[in-house]
Amino acid sequence: MTTETLVADRSLGAVPVGWDADMAVTALYSAHYRSLVRLAVLLVRDSATAEEVVQDAFVALHGAWRRLRDTDKALAYLRQSVVNRSRSVLRHRAVVEKYAPKGLPDAPSAENGAIGELERSAVIEALRGLPARQREALVLRYYGDLSEAEIAGAMGISKGAVKSHTARGMAALRTLLEQLS
């Protein structure tokens, strides 16, 4: 009967000879759970994940109890299991972070879009009130982003006429927009 008593001190992780997996894991759990969780927290930097890692290590120990050659080394088995499982958690986190979708760029607010739409519609309305040549010159210059020479070629007029139509169109557009607001 002396062989069925605790062979070594509980802090060393020894279990009584002849105990089944349930009794041994229960004894180890009550004696070492907290210290193993502290170890896992230091490794994974998250207490909830650390508790899961330790729980999984105890479940694995319970399943592997018959295969343990030396039951006195059950605590060492648990510690190694916690370290390995913590490494797996960290590897998984690294992969998730590496392939996580990038955040969307900051989109303008709905109000900003509405104001922009109102401004565009006001400009378009004011453009409709301009004479055809001034409207064409302004649209080609500011919406088409063409140079004066390109505008002259597109409209079939001189560069001086483009400058004149653009300047008069801008003045008229400014006046019309001031009236609308």
Side-chain angles (χ1 to χ4, degrees):
M1 292 296 181
T2 57
T3 57
E4 291 186 19
T5 60
L6 199 56
V7 178
D9 183 50
R10 281 180 81 124
S11 64
L12 298 177
V15 294
V17 176
W19 274 16
D20 67 350
D22 291 338
M23 291 188 296
V25 171
T26 302
L28 286 167
Y29 185 90
S30 61
H32 300 290
Y33 175 77
R34 287 190 185 119
S35 65
L36 291 171
V37 169
R38 284 192 299 267
L39 170 67
V41 166
L42 291 172
L43 297 173
V44 298
R45 299 175 307 273
D46 174 24
S47 60
T49 305
E51 288 176 359
E52 287 179 29
V53 164
V54 173
Q55 290 290 341
D56 290 344
F58 275 104
V59 169
L61 174 66
H62 187 272
W65 187 255
R66 287 190 204 169
R67 294 188 308 271
L68 284 180
R69 284 183 240 146
D70 188 0
T71 57
D72 289 341
K73 294 185 180 176
L75 181 58
Y77 175 90
L78 276 170
R79 283 192 188 113
Q80 189 63 47
S81 181
V82 167
V83 169
N84 289 340
R85 289 169 193 278
S86 297
R87 287 178 185 157
S88 293
V89 165
L90 294 174
R91 278 193 304 270
H92 178 73
R93 280 184 190 167
V95 169
V96 167
E97 288 173 8
K98 181 178 179 182
Y99 293 106
K102 304 294 183 229
L104 296 175
D106 290 337
S109 67
E111 293 84 11
N112 191 6
I115 291 170
E117 183 61 34
L118 286 174
E119 289 173 351
R120 282 189 295 277
S121 63
V123 170
I124 291 171
E125 188 62 36
L127 276 172
R128 289 183 182 140
L130 295 178
R133 290 285 186 164
Q134 290 177 7
R135 184 175 57 245
E136 289 173 7
L138 289 176
V139 168
L140 290 172
R141 177 72 181 125
Y142 296 103
Y143 287 100
D145 201 29
L146 299 179
S147 67
E148 291 174 349
E150 293 170 325
I151 295 170
M155 292 178 66
I157 57 175
S158 69
K159 282 177 37 176
V162 169
K163 289 179 186 180
S164 175
H165 288 304
T166 303
R168 287 187 197 136
M170 286 298 291
L173 191 61
R174 189 175 302 116
T175 303
L176 288 171
L177 288 174
E178 285 175 357
Q179 290 173 356
L180 290 174
S181 57

